């Protein structure tokens, strides 16, 4: 996937490689990529960023903002679907704008992945009771 962009100062390109079999064959993410920025006038590279990290944070930030604007302030349950980068970043973003709920459900087809995310979030939060639900 290629996503070009530009403004008066920089040229940018987000390049993403999708390899659905990476996980089962190599224990690697199915999506990887980078975001590159170049000076529009000189062509010199300004930066190279990890697209997975940037996309995860940006997407989850939108959900965090929507939660802040539209969700009740006394929510007791947070449910995320999936156990990958997006689920992890969404939990962080929502907990940034809301007090930790009593329960966080991580719904995923693979219970091992759901448990791995659970362990990671529990280690970060140290006070949230989490229940794992796998489909």
């Amino acid at each position: 996937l290629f996503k070009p962009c530009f403004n008066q100062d920089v040229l940018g390109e987000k390049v993403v490689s999708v390899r659905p079999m990476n996980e089962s064959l190599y224990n690697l993410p199915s999506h990887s990529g980078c975001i590159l920025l170049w000076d529009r006038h000189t062509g010199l590279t300004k930066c190279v960023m990890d697209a997975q990290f940037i996309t995860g944070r940006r997407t989850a930030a939108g959900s965090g903002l929507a939660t802040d604007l539209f969700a009740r302030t006394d929510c007791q349950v947070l449910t995320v679907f999936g156990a990958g980068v997006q689920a992890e970043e969404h939990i962080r973003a929502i907990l940034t704008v809301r007090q930790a709920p009593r329960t966080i459900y991580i719904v995923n087809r693979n219970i091992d992945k759901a448990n791995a995310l659970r362990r990671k979030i529990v280690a970060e939060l140290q006070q949230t009771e989490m229940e794992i639900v796998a489909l």
Side-chain angles (χ1 to χ4, degrees):
L1 305 171
F2 299 94
K3 297 182 177 182
C5 64
F6 66 93
N7 67 21
Q8 61 190 25
D9 298 317
V10 295
L11 302 171
E13 180 82 25
K14 179 178 179 181
V15 181
V16 177
S17 176
V18 179
R19 300 287 188 260
M21 299 303 294
N22 264 6
E23 191 172 347
S24 62
L25 294 175
Y26 308 110
N27 198 29
L28 292 170
S30 61
H31 294 67
S32 64
C34 62
I35 300 170
L36 302 134
L37 295 179
W38 299 276
D39 182 283
R40 185 171 178 170
H41 306 288
T42 67
L44 295 176
T45 302
K46 302 286 270 178
C47 72
V48 178
M49 298 176 278
D50 178 8
Q52 187 176 26
F53 174 79
I54 298 294
T55 301
R57 286 282 166 101
R58 178 197 44 84
T59 303
S63 294
L65 176 62
T67 299
D68 195 35
L69 294 173
F70 303 117
R72 294 173 49 144
T73 58
D74 61 346
C75 292
Q76 298 298 309
V77 175
L78 169 61
T79 303
V80 294
F81 291 88
V85 171
Q86 287 294 325
E88 181 179 344
E89 294 298 339
H90 275 73
I91 291 170
R92 285 193 185 111
I94 290 168
L95 295 181
T96 299
V97 298
R98 289 291 181 269
Q99 295 294 325
R102 282 190 234 170
T103 306
I104 298 175
Y105 292 101
I106 300 171
V107 181
N108 196 61
R109 293 176 296 182
N110 182 317
I111 192 67
D112 293 333
K113 289 183 184 180
N115 277 316
L117 179 55
R118 177 192 176 278
R119 285 190 298 275
K120 189 172 189 176
I121 297 299
V122 165
E124 286 181 23
L125 301 179
Q126 300 180 346
Q127 85 276 6
T128 299
E129 172 192 330
M130 296 180 74
E131 184 175 347
I132 304 297
V133 179
L135 298 176

